[in-house]
Amino acid sequence: MLIHGALVALDDMVLSIMPLLSRQFRTIAFDRPGHGFSRRARLTEASSWAQARAVRAACEELGILRPIIVGHSFGGAVALAHAILYPAHTTGVVALAPIVSTEPRLEQLLFGPLAPPLWGDFIQSLSVTRALQDRLLRILWRSMFLPQQVPPGFAALFPFELAAQDGAMIATGEDAVGAIPAQMFNDLAYMTSSVPVRVLAGTHDLVVNNHLHGAKLPHLMPAASIEWLDGLGHMLHHFAPEAVACAVEELARLPS
């Protein structure tokens, strides 16, 4: 089960690691609630815990008993929440540059004002907001890949307009605000999960401070480890799909 991060949709996973993983595994990319073609009601699925429950519901509907969950960035937080909530239904987690702990983050400043109902909807309805977001998103999408370049296939095939729709912007604001209490609780709950976790982190990540986030997990979760990918930034799954596949294969070989 592949879970994308902020400001993108399932296509991010489809255009990066899904082709390689699907050679060996049944692989499903998941639009987080409110993103891509997925919808959600206001304030109902803003936290990583609520979204983990949505993932669990999707797995049950699809007949997936114990998935290996690959989550990137905020999607990594969702994958870790799934491991805490449903350890018996999680074979393992591959967390790619995951959000692990609470900290002030840029997305809270940029998109957090859209989180309150009515007020946020009003702000998002303004033409000036959409114009500013259009320019801002272009910068953010480029910055997410630094220090690497945006892959040509991503630039050509990713549905940028879908990722920038009003509902997705509001969902991003809700995600940013909802992450604060969820991650505070997570810090207390990580040690309760014995689910195997493999963290992959780029040494040149400009979006997530992996020393503050992913590098903590081996000290907090009994079965967690971290692998550093030299020179890679936040979107490491586009440039090291083999490393992701190796981590998934390792988890698949562990005794159930």
Side-chain angles (χ1 to χ4, degrees), residues 45-71:
E45 293 172 312
S47 75
S48 55
W49 293 78
Q51 295 187 35
R53 294 186 184 98
V55 171
R56 181 74 235 133
C59 288
E60 291 176 353
E61 186 171 340
L62 294 169
I64 301 171
L65 300 179
R66 298 183 68 244
I68 295 172
I69 303 180
V70 181

Side-chain angles (χ1 to χ4, degrees), residues 159-240:
F160 292 99
E161 291 184 1
L162 181 65
Q165 61 186 332
D166 288 351
M169 295 297 94
I170 290 172
T172 298
E174 291 183 339
D175 290 346
V177 174
I180 298 172
Q183 298 309 116
M184 291 176 65
F185 187 81
N186 280 356
D187 281 337
L188 302 174
Y190 287 127
M191 65 184 65
T192 66
S193 176
S194 59
V195 171
V197 175
R198 300 294 178 263
V199 178
L200 298 183
T203 60
H204 288 55
D205 193 329
L206 302 179
V207 177
V208 169
N209 181 347
N210 290 305
H211 292 281
L212 175 65
H213 291 277
K216 293 174 56 176
L217 283 178
H219 304 286
L220 298 174
M221 301 185 78
S225 64
I226 184 170
E227 178 183 354
W228 292 94
L229 301 181
D230 188 44
L232 292 187
H234 190 58
M235 304 296 277
L236 68 166
H237 48 301
H238 285 268
F239 305 99

Side-chain angles (χ1 to χ4, degrees), residues 141-160:
W141 281 323
R142 171 67 188 92
S143 300
M144 286 164 57
F145 283 91
L146 292 174
Q148 283 73 45
Q149 298 291 319
V150 178
F154 184 91
L157 298 175
F158 183 79
F160 292 99

